[in-house]
Amino acid sequence: MSTPDPRTDPLVPLPTLGYGAANVGNLFRPLTDAEAWAVLDAAWESGIRHYDTAPHYGLGLSERRLGAFLATKPRDEFVLSTKVGRLLRPNPDHSGGLDTGNDFHVPDDLRRVWDFSEAGIRASLDESRERLGIDRIDIAYLHDPERHDLDLALAEALPALEAVRAAGGVGRIGVGSMVSEALAAAVRSADLDLVMVAGRYTLLEQPAAADVLPACAERGTGIVAASVFNSGLLAQSEPTRDGRYEYGALPDALWERLLRIAAVCRAHQVPLPAAAIQFPLRSDVVRSVVVGGSRPAQLRQNAELAGLDIPDALWAELASEGLIPA
């Protein structure tokens, strides 16, 4: 009797901690190839075996760097996901600038072209495999569909992904987004294995609990929780008021909520980032948590915090204070 493959069998758990490789695509700051390799090496040596990337991350740089690193590892020992929906094409307006408008410190000699057609999705996967240098991609997420055309995504892109999966082009399919309404609509309209919920189900805020989690529970769709540090706000035990919140300043109400959460963690002698990593996994529908990081020490620390023993009393107090769902 054959053993189920965790890369393709939706009934087999994913590794509970993953690395989101946007940083090795020079997100927010440039890394040399050696620095990026050191980050990925720290992730691997810390036991991380789940890796997520996308063409969007550094206009393909993240995929190239991650693929070069993973090519040195046994293929049956890791799970690899990437995204579809944006094709990379030559930028006719390139004049030596950088892609800093998208927060990536890479030359903007390519541009992102939306394509939700089946041909476009197949082309995206083929091109990702070429950049990665890896033949098999385990999970393909439709990336940020609401930023282009959610109705078109539901009508065209998701059926196309289902067809690609049925033909064996990818093991599992899903949608990745930071908009709860888009994720819930996708879950209800297609046979998805997973959704990547970015920043919408975290220790700080849980809007996805109202619609995405119930939809996933009803449909049997798993969740991969990403951006669990809320743009770094939960990444240190003593929060700072000048922290980034998505695309702007941190709202006052969330700052006050963050201070209350940090105080509860302090009272129970639990590092705030440990609680941030472990909180999403308390839900039955969350299969894995994906964290980023641009320094080796961050990856080693995240792996340690993911395994830290957290007393039930912490969660009970956070729930009694109305800071997390009961």
Side-chain angles (χ1 to χ4, degrees):
M1 183 175 181
S2 61
T3 301
D5 190 335
R7 295 158 301 177
T8 58
D9 190 328
L11 299 179
V12 177
L14 288 172
T16 55
L17 183 64
Y19 176 63
N23 288 108
V24 299
N26 287 2
L27 178 66
F28 301 134
R29 70 184 187 93
L31 299 179
T32 66
D33 287 344
E35 288 171 331
W37 188 281
V39 169
L40 295 169
D41 192 52
W44 185 272
E45 292 303 314
S46 298
I48 293 174
R49 296 295 184 269
H50 177 192
Y51 297 86
D52 176 70
T53 183
H56 173 62
Y57 301 157
L59 294 169
L61 179 61
S62 172
E63 288 185 320
R64 291 193 298 273
R65 283 174 164 172
L66 178 61
F69 176 80
L70 291 177
T72 68
K73 307 302 179 186
R75 183 60 188 91
D76 61 354
E77 290 189 12
F78 61 86
V79 175
L80 173 64
S81 64
T82 192
K83 318 292 197 314
V84 299
R86 293 176 174 101
L87 296 172
L88 301 182
R89 295 294 178 260
N91 180 9
D93 299 322
H94 174 63
S95 58
L98 298 177
D99 188 42
T100 50
N102 292 291
D103 293 323
F104 291 101
H105 290 254
V106 297
D108 64 352
D109 53 346
L110 297 173
R111 61 190 179 97
R112 300 163 178 86
V113 177
W114 292 102
D115 193 331
F116 284 178
S117 69
E118 184 172 338
I121 286 172
R122 290 183 182 277
S124 183
L125 286 169
D126 286 343
E127 292 165 17
S128 286
R129 280 189 282 263
E130 183 175 355
R131 284 188 293 267
L132 287 159
I134 295 174
D135 289 338
R136 188 180 70 251
I137 293 169
D138 303 311
I139 306 166
Y141 296 104
L142 183 66
H143 203 182
D144 298 331
E146 74 290 339
R147 295 193 184 186
H148 177 49
D149 188 328
L150 181 59
D151 291 337
L152 184 62
L154 301 180
E156 186 171 348
L158 296 186
L161 268 176
E162 290 175 323
V164 171
R165 179 184 58 190
V170 69
R172 306 190 201 187
I173 62 170
V175 171
S177 173
M178 59 189 299
V179 177
S180 295
E181 295 81 2
L183 290 163
V187 170
R188 293 191 173 101
S189 69
D191 178 21
L192 302 180
D193 301 297
L194 297 163
V195 289
M196 179 171 281
V197 179
R200 299 282 76 86
Y201 190 66
T202 72
L203 183 63
L204 180 59
E205 53 180 350
Q206 305 92 34
D211 48 10
V212 182
L213 271 67
C216 287
E218 179 183 342
R219 300 278 291 178
T221 302
I223 289 176
V224 174
S227 301
V228 296
F229 291 145
N230 279 105
S231 303
L233 292 169
L234 300 169
Q236 53 190 9
S237 289
E238 298 300 330
T240 58
R241 185 66 179 87
D242 58 355
R244 180 191 297 112
Y245 177 70
E246 296 179 1
Y247 302 111
L250 178 65
D252 291 340
L254 274 183
W255 170 243
E256 295 300 325
R257 186 182 184 90
L258 177 56
L259 290 179
R260 292 172 62 199
I261 292 170
V264 174
C265 289
R266 195 179 307 114
H268 290 270
Q269 298 183 322
V270 171
L272 178 61
I277 292 172
Q278 294 190 37
F279 164 74
L281 292 166
R282 292 175 55 78
S283 168
D284 291 340
V285 295
V286 175
R287 308 283 186 256
S288 183
V289 168
V290 167
V291 296
S294 62
R295 294 176 174 83
Q298 292 173 324
L299 274 296
R300 288 190 284 267
Q301 181 184 55
N302 288 340
E304 292 175 3
L305 295 174
L308 189 72
D309 185 35
I310 295 181
D312 290 339
L314 170 75
W315 307 118
E317 183 170 348
L318 288 170
S320 68
E321 293 290 327
L323 297 170
I324 61 173

